[in-house]
């Protein structure tokens, strides 16, 4: 279980973290609909910001059906659950492949290919947790 965080002592830092958490959560929600914007890193960043700014909002985020397990998994194991990585690679391939197919400019296609490669490399480096 994720331990209850302690908000920062400074009201300025708490305010900045609260703003960063809200912005990260908005970007995470936008990432659900926009293929180039990742969702999970922004959810994790929002959780980290809320942990330092607002215990109430952090606990609310952990109670969410979708975000809560992602945050707990990363906090407890610093890894992905088994079986998630192949799905993530498939979604990257489909979303970037479709985007490259729809682009007419070779420059945009190359840019998307580079971004997909960077994202795939970052995903490849995330460890997968054993079921034990």
């Amino acid at each position: 279980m994720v331990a209850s965080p302690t908000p920062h002592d400074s009201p300025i830092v708490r305010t900045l973290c609260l703003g960063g958490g809200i912005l990260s959560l908005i970007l995470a929600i936008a990432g659900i609909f926009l293929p180039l914007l990742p969702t999970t890193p922004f959810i994790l960043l929002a959780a980290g910001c809320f942990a330092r700014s607002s215990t109430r909002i952090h606990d609310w985020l952990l109670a969410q059906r979708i975000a809560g397990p992602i945050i707990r998994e990363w906090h407890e194991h610093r890894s992905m659950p088994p079986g998630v990585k192949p799905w993530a690679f498939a979604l990257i391939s489909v979303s970037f492949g479709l985007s490259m197919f729809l682009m007419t400019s070779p420059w945009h296609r190359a840019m998307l290919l580079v971004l997909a490669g960077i994202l795939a490399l970052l995903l490849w480096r995330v460890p997968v947790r054993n079921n034990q």
Side-chain angles (χ1 to χ4, degrees), residues 1-98:
M1 190 70 188
V2 177
S4 290
T6 305
H8 199 276
D9 294 333
S10 168
I12 294 171
V13 173
R14 280 196 312 268
T15 302
L16 290 172
C17 286
L18 182 62
I22 291 169
L23 179 62
S24 297
L25 194 55
I26 290 169
L27 290 172
I29 292 167
I32 295 169
F33 306 103
L34 301 173
L36 294 178
L37 197 61
T39 301
T40 303
F42 286 117
I43 289 175
L44 295 174
L45 180 59
C49 288
F50 291 143
R52 301 308 283 159
S53 62
S54 171
T55 305
R56 184 174 54 92
I57 298 175
H58 184 263
D59 291 344
W60 170 82
L61 195 57
L62 283 174
Q64 298 305 305
R65 184 176 60 91
I66 295 173
I70 293 169
I71 297 165
R72 280 189 292 280
E73 177 74 27
W74 184 256
H75 184 75
E76 292 172 6
H77 304 287
R78 292 286 195 251
S79 64
M80 298 175 95
V84 172
K85 198 178 275 194
W87 278 102
F89 279 121
L91 288 172
I92 289 170
S93 300
V94 169
S95 66
F96 277 90
L98 181 62

